[in-house]
Amino acid sequence: MEIKTEHLTIRDLTLKDAPFIIKLLNTPGWLRFIGDRGVKTISDAEAYLSKGPMESYAKNGFGLWLVEESESSIPAGLCGLLKRDYLDHPDIGFAFLPEFTGKGYATEAIRATIRLAKINLEIRTLLAITTPDNERSQRALMSTNFSFIKTIVNEKNEQLHLYQCEL
Ligand SMILES: CC(C)(COP(=O)(O)OP(=O)(O)OC[C@H]1O[C@@H](n2cnc3c(N)ncnc32)[C@H](O)[C@@H]1OP(=O)(O)O)[C@@H](O)C(=O)NCCC(=O)NCCS
């Protein structure tokens, strides 16, 4: 999988992306709004990649992908689709390194993911979940046609805001 947008190249993750994964999963934004996945070493990151995104490519035909800034070829973030047991439809996930936020890259990657979900994967309903206080993420979702549906409680008894987009 590889798609190009105005500023970004979105492609499958491989085990070679382990150093980037360590960096992203330990940023303050990821730790606060997504959670501590305990990924501190290259072997932790390789296990995260193979059991998470790479297993999802094989099982679902989608997963989280790497988002690179095309001009510099530097990995900027992740964006893509997940299938969680407690949600009826796939949901979109995204996160960027702090130095690549405030540039409109998240909305550009979300739009590309929505197009791919609709055209290539024939998905008709996409969901998104955020913590109630994740205002930047909520802004990015609202500006890409997602609507707030309701507050839900996940398996860990955490409150989450559920968003939905009809494709
Ligand atoms: C959520 C997250 C990806 C949002 O990143 P972001 O850069 O704010 O999102 P956008 O791509 O929509 O960018 C919007 C910002 O870029 C600016 N911008 C610059 N050029 C732009 C352009 N061409 N188009 C749109 N926005 C542009 C906007 O003014 C806005 O800036 P502001 O936040 O100062 O108002 C980021 O905060 C993040 O990685 N957070 C941690 C992980 C996380 O919470 N993930 C989501 C879990 S549900």
Side-chain angles (χ1 to χ4, degrees), residues 70-86:
S70 301
E71 196 187 355
S72 63
S73 298
I74 297 174
L78 299 180
C79 188
L81 302 169
L82 300 111
K83 183 67 198 78
R84 300 176 207 263
D85 292 341
Y86 67 92

Side-chain angles (χ1 to χ4, degrees), residues 30-138:
W30 182 291
L31 294 170
R32 176 173 168 197
F33 295 118
I34 298 175
D36 189 352
R37 297 286 181 261
V39 173
K40 310 292 171 198
T41 65
I42 289 288
S43 79
D44 294 340
E46 287 178 349
Y48 170 88
L49 284 163
S50 56
K51 294 207 180 73
M54 291 164 72
E55 193 173 296
S56 179
Y57 302 152
K59 187 176 168 199
N60 302 311
F62 57 70
L64 285 176
W65 298 298
L66 183 87
V67 183
E68 231 171 53
E69 186 180 49
S70 301
E71 196 187 355
S72 63
S73 298
I74 297 174
L78 299 180
C79 188
L81 302 169
L82 300 111
K83 183 67 198 78
R84 300 176 207 263
D85 292 341
Y86 67 92
L87 294 177
D88 292 338
H89 303 281
D91 66 292
I92 193 161
F94 47 87
F96 283 74
L97 293 176
E99 56 268 40
F100 290 102
T101 60
K103 293 168 174 272
Y105 286 177
T107 41
E108 191 171 318
I110 292 169
R111 287 204 171 93
T113 303
I114 291 173
R115 277 196 303 274
L116 188 133
K118 180 176 178 170
I119 294 163
N120 300 55
L121 301 167
E122 298 184 350
I123 291 169
R124 292 290 160 255
T125 304
L126 256 190
L127 303 176
I129 45 171
T130 75
T131 54
D133 60 342
N134 194 347
E135 286 170 17
R136 286 184 83 171
S137 173
Q138 289 159 3

Side-chain angles (χ1 to χ4, degrees), residues 87 89 125-130 138 141-142 145-152 160-166:
L87 294 177
H89 303 281
T125 304
L126 256 190
L127 303 176
I129 45 171
T130 75
Q138 289 159 3
L141 290 167
M142 302 288 273
N145 278 337
F146 279 84
S147 307
F148 173 73
I149 301 294
K150 60 180 177 181
T151 300
I152 59 168
L160 295 169
H161 282 195
L162 178 69
Y163 287 78
Q164 185 167 324
C165 176
E166 293 302 333

